[in-house]
Amino acid sequence: MNTIKLRIPSRNLICALIASPFLIGACSQADQTSTPGETPKGSSGAVHASTPDDDFGPIIGEEHAVLTSPPMVPPPITRDHATKLIVDLEVEEHVGPIADGVEYTFWTFGGTVPGSYIRTRVGDVVQFNLHNSPDSKMPHNIDLHSVTGPGGGAASSFTAPGHTSQFSFQVTRPGLYVYHCATAPVGMHIANGMYGLIQVEPKGGLPKVDKEYYLMQGDFYTEGAYGEEGLQAFNMEKALQEIPDYVLFNGSVGALVGDKAITANVGETVRLYVGNGGPNLVSSFHVIGEIFDNLYAEGGTAVNHNVQTTLIPAGGSAIVEFKVEVPGTFIIVDHSIFRTFNKGALGMLTVTGPDDLTIYSGKQDDRIYLPEGGAIQTMPTTSAKEIPSTRTLEERMAIGERLYKANCLACHQANGQGVPSAFPPLANSDYLMADKQRSIKVVLHGLEGPIKVNGESFNSVMPKLNMSDDDVANVVTYVRNSFGNSGDKVTLEEVAAAKTE
Ligand SMILES: [Cu+2]
């Protein structure tokens, strides 16, 4: 043992000094096998040493995963072996309330924001069937942070409307993981609600508690300010500036308030599985009037105790546990507190039962915690960037190619070939080439409704992309001179003209 222990630091030092990724891979593998027996295996809730437990036992049988909508979670897993776990998750786009009198077009995993809760046991081989509803306008995919593999499954799960993708992965590390859509524009898919949690239970499960709930924070960016009535469109500009109108638990203002509050009885232990979908903000998660007895920080294995507020990164999670000792209403907040009282990040845990005047004596009045209402928000007006008024065709092609890859490729594909019945081709597109002004307008404003491209009918939505005039000129120049198309350069004047028409 002594000799092994002495070898480790020196090998690590060598590994750290070697730049080759192949050698580093070999190093980390050697590290894993050189410390057998030093880690307590499968001890749930314990702080693990560096060596993960990769002995999952045999995979026995198969079952269909129970999926639940927030704030509920499926029952704890009781089987003592890994299995083949079949998950069927449907992506669905719908208009729903984001606040009283305010509607938003949500894109969802399983019809809710956050998406369905998925519960697995370490070692399970998950067969994932991602269905994209035929009513969807967009392709979607899924990146699960519990997956070890490129893109977390994103590349294998790109699914056009009305299609199903299947892929499999083994869950090898216990914890609480975020999943989200990773289809470009990624930020927009996440901002529209495409995230949820997948739990990987350790062998033997987590310690038993009385109540378990599922909460997930997300930030939303709308054309209108907080509370402005009507159907509100996604606002790319605010998303880029990271100034949300709404910061929410479970997808709408009041989703966990009043008779929708989560509940417990005095004396019970409560476990909250908390995620943060972002896309931008980090949460300072706090329950007013409680202390987290146990905190699985960042959804990992190490347990901290007696914590008041925990940071949950965008794309991260936490598991918090506490015993409720007195009755009352406990307010769940993001302690970046304007988000709570002015942007909607407020939930409630209602605890019923007898008072304990030693622990807390005093009158409670939860009215003082109710949201203060809409904040007055003025959006900064954007001033046009300084850009050269003339660019050569070559310059516009070079910049346009980069813009195409970042903004258009996800839908129109690498060679502009599109996706049958979902995204029209730009390659040899008669629609694109017939009318230059019209093609500029498509990129400026997006496009909705029936069109014909090369004899094929499309009736879908292309989102507004909020590009500068210069970038519109660059990318339209690029697509009109690529993939078998040939046209001339698009100028700033032509973009300006298309805007004013
Ligand atoms: Cu998506």
Side-chain angles (χ1 to χ4, degrees):
M1 239 17 199
N2 259 346
T3 51
I4 290 171
K5 276 189 176 159
L6 282 171
R7 272 169 52 211
I8 295 162
S10 57
R11 192 195 300 111
N12 279 346
L13 187 63
I14 293 163
C15 290
L17 293 171
I18 299 172
S20 159
F22 300 104
L23 290 173
I24 286 173
C27 283
S28 55
Q29 215 172 23
D31 285 348
Q32 281 183 9
T33 50
S34 65
T35 53
E38 289 191 353
T39 306
K41 297 225 167 189
S43 52
S44 62
V47 178
H48 285 226
S50 58
T51 309
D53 176 4
D54 280 336
D55 176 16
F56 311 120
I59 291 148
I60 303 171
E62 68 173 52
E63 39 182 84
H64 286 264
V66 176
L67 304 184
T68 58
S69 299
M72 306 319 287
V73 296
I77 288 171
T78 51
R79 63 187 147 76
D80 60 1
H81 58 85
T83 194
K84 176 181 168 190
L85 189 67
I86 301 163
V87 174
D88 280 281
L89 189 57
E90 189 189 54
V91 172
E92 192 228 303
E93 304 166 358
H94 69 252
V95 174
I98 192 168
D100 257 359
V102 189
E103 307 248 274
Y104 189 77
T105 304
F106 294 100
W107 297 350
T108 72
F109 287 108
T112 55
V113 177
S116 306
Y117 195 95
I118 308 169
R119 202 156 185 163
T120 71
R121 179 214 188 254
V122 72
D124 283 351
V125 172
V126 179
Q127 180 198 302
F128 208 101
N129 303 314
L130 186 70
H131 312 286
N132 191 356
S133 164
D135 298 330
S136 292
K137 307 270 191 201
M138 297 287 156
H140 300 283
N141 63 8
I142 192 164
D143 167 351
L144 302 113
H145 292 180
S146 57
V147 169
T148 311
S156 318
S157 59
F158 183 84
T159 311
H163 288 241
T164 292
S165 300
Q166 183 187 311
F167 66 107
S168 292
F169 59 90
Q170 186 170 36
V171 287
T172 64
R173 298 289 182 272
L176 183 61
Y177 298 93
V178 168
Y179 65 78
H180 61 87
C181 185
T183 301
V186 178
M188 181 180 175
H189 283 248
I190 293 177
N192 286 344
M194 299 201 76
Y195 44 76
L197 292 178
I198 177 169
Q199 181 185 0
V200 182
E201 290 198 32
K203 286 179 188 171
L206 294 178
K208 209 182 140 3
V209 291
D210 298 304
K211 294 275 158 64
E212 293 187 318
Y213 293 107
Y214 168 27
L215 275 67
M216 201 154 177
Q217 185 170 321
D219 27 301
F220 292 83
Y221 305 82
T222 51
E223 287 292 334
Y226 180 91
E228 205 171 299
E229 293 193 349
L231 178 60
Q232 295 293 332
F234 168 71
N235 184 303
M236 186 66 142
E237 189 63 31
K238 293 180 185 179
L240 285 171
Q241 294 181 18
E242 306 188 8
I243 305 172
D245 298 284
Y246 295 87
V247 182
L248 303 172
F249 293 120
N250 292 4
S252 66
V253 177
L256 291 169
V257 168
D259 56 8
K260 288 188 250 159
I262 55 175
T263 59
N265 299 310
V266 166
E268 287 186 327
T269 45
V270 178
R271 176 182 290 141
L272 304 180
Y273 296 103
V274 192
N276 184 6
N280 289 322
L281 300 187
V282 168
S283 175
S284 298
F285 186 75
H286 177 75
V287 178
I288 299 178
E290 271 302 342
I291 297 155
F292 304 142
D293 299 330
N294 301 313
L295 161 72
Y296 297 73
E298 294 168 4
T301 310
V303 182
N304 199 352
H305 302 287
N306 305 330
V307 174
Q308 58 195 302
T309 300
T310 188
L311 278 173
I312 310 183
S317 73
I319 304 172
V320 303
E321 297 170 359
F322 49 91
K323 186 176 174 194
V324 286
E325 270 132 348
V326 296
T329 299
F330 295 81
I331 308 293
I332 301 165
V333 304
D334 179 338
H335 217 296
S336 290
I337 210 75
F338 275 100
R339 300 175 188 171
T340 293
F341 294 112
N342 303 80
K343 296 189 172 188
L346 182 150
M348 289 180 180
L349 166 66
T350 307
V351 178
T352 49
D355 279 320
D356 184 333
L357 299 180
T358 315
I359 291 176
Y360 184 72
S361 126
K363 225 173 185 180
Q364 289 183 313
D365 183 348
D366 61 35
R367 275 174 300 167
I368 62 164
Y369 292 120
L370 285 177
E372 289 161 9
I376 299 157
Q377 298 181 357
T378 43
M379 286 310 300
T381 45
T382 46
S383 57
K385 265 186 291 178
E386 281 293 330
I387 31 111
S389 57
T390 53
R391 287 193 194 274
T392 64
L393 177 68
E394 288 68 35
E395 278 175 321
R396 291 215 184 278
M397 287 298 286
I399 304 168
E401 183 176 2
R402 263 191 288 118
L403 291 168
Y404 182 83
K405 285 182 178 151
N407 297 288
C408 325
L409 181 147
C411 296
H412 292 288
Q413 306 297 299
N415 298 310
Q417 74 271 32
V419 173
S421 72
F423 304 107
L426 301 180
N428 301 306
S429 160
D430 55 2
Y431 187 96
L432 169 64
M433 300 311 291
D435 185 337
K436 191 174 182 181
Q437 284 292 99
R438 182 175 67 184
S439 57
I440 297 169
K441 280 187 195 156
V442 169
V443 178
L444 274 174
H445 308 302
L447 187 66
E448 186 162 5
I451 57 166
K452 259 203 162 130
V453 182
N454 299 343
E456 295 289 319
S457 294
F458 294 87
N459 187 1
S460 190
V461 181
M462 170 168 152
K464 184 172 187 242
L465 297 160
N466 283 301
M467 298 176 123
S468 69
D469 289 6
D470 185 44
D471 283 345
V472 171
N474 293 328
V475 80
V476 179
T477 300
Y478 176 73
V479 295
R480 284 174 59 85
N481 290 281
S482 306
F483 321 130
N485 304 326
S486 64
D488 49 0
K489 172 174 93 163
V490 175
T491 65
L492 276 182
E493 291 69 36
E494 285 167 320
V495 176
K499 265 178 138 174
T500 53
E501 257 174 44

